[in-house]
Every structure is written in C-alpha cells, then in structure tokens.
Amino acid sequence: MIMNFKLFKLRIKIFYYSILGKIQQRIPKLDLESEGHDSKRILLMFPFDEPSFRVAAFSFRALGSEKQGDNHYTFLIKDLFKPLFHIRRGETIILISDPKNPDKIKSEDSIIKVLKHTDFDMVIDLNTNFYLDASRILSLIPAKMKVGFKSDFSDLFYNIQLDVSKSGIAENGYHKVQLMLENS
C-alpha cells in the first residue's frame, strides 16, 4: 500500500511539472535503422547513488583516453562524488546536492539554463533507478537522442531505453551505452 502511494505521488509530481513546463515531454521519434547516428556532442549524467556512481565511473574510464575520437563529452556529476571522478577529458559540471535530501539537486534551474544553450546530439542518464530530478533536467535539454534505463516512467523521458531488469547488472547497460558511443 505504501509503495502504491509513493508511485501515485510520483505520478502527480510528474503531471504537475508537465503542466508547469518543468518537464519537456516532446521526445523526438527516432529510427536508428534508417538514420543511424553521428553524435559528437554527448552529455552523460552519472548516477546519483554512490555504488552505482563507482561502477559507472569505472565502466566509462576509457572516455578519458585519446582513442575516443573527436566526440565532445560533458559530464554531470553530483558534488558528493567529485573526489571519485577521474575522467579529465571533456567538461564536467557539478550538480549541488540538497543537504536535506541527497537525491534532490539544488540550483537546477541555473544548470538547465546553461545546458539548454548547448547543442547536444545525445543525452544519457546513467541512473539505473528512476530519479525524477535527473530525468526532469535531461528532459529540458534539446537533443535528438535521449538514452535512459527502463522504468515505469522512462517512456516519458527517453527515446532509447535500456532494460537491465532481467539481469539486474548495471554493467550490462553501461556496456550497451559504450557500444553506442563507439559507433558515433
């Protein structure tokens, strides 16, 4: 019963944010078979929880190498994980956590203003669990490809969804993201 109430509350929040325009729900339709992709400006939002962040940081450590071609990366990481982040290639933007609720982001409006003026080809949410703040921020950033993990709400935010529910192993999803990045 409690879980149903939390889910209902989250649906109401999403509806409320949609009405206020704080969530962009026009996701571009994408047909990878016919269009392929040539994404060069890529935004990656790293996970909001520490164990997942550590796995993602390790999985994507090769993005710092020169063999990654001419892609330009922008990384969004929470301030709590700045000492754990060692990719020095690209641009890193620090998200300030709310001290009362570490899953929430403070000053997200200023981050969105900066990111809306950058032409990203692809935005990727590496959170395997659904975080409304992460999805909301990424929904407002214009990009042809929006990649995230499958959840009850992922259809509202992402046009490419990775499903790791059967294996439960985030590395499998991160490997799929890496394959997409290698083919860009």
Side-chain angles (χ1 to χ4, degrees), residues 54-72:
R54 287 179 180 272
V55 171
F58 182 77
S59 296
F60 290 95
R61 69 192 179 282
L63 289 182
S65 71
E66 291 301 317
K67 68 178 185 175
Q68 282 297 313
D70 60 346
N71 291 350
H72 179 270

Side-chain angles (χ1 to χ4, degrees), residues 11 43 50 62 64 66 75-76 91 94 98 104 110 112 118 121 128 133 141 146 174:
R11 288 182 194 277
L43 173 75
E50 186 173 349
E66 291 301 317
F75 306 105
L76 293 177
E91 180 183 1
I94 305 298
D98 185 342
K104 296 199 65 61
S110 60
I112 291 169
T118 305
D121 300 311
T128 55
D133 280 0
I141 299 168
K146 295 192 176 199
Y174 295 156

Side-chain angles (χ1 to χ4, degrees), residues 1-37:
M1 179 68 176
I2 292 173
M3 199 59 153
N4 289 338
F5 180 71
K6 285 183 179 181
L7 192 59
F8 176 74
K9 187 175 160 183
L10 188 55
R11 288 182 194 277
I12 295 295
K13 268 188 180 178
I14 290 172
F15 177 72
Y16 175 73
Y17 284 145
S18 298
I19 290 173
L20 293 178
K22 293 189 175 201
I23 291 178
Q24 179 68 265
Q25 289 191 331
R26 286 173 296 193
I27 303 170
K29 298 292 180 198
L30 188 63
D31 180 8
L32 288 178
E33 293 294 324
S34 64
E35 294 179 27
H37 80 95

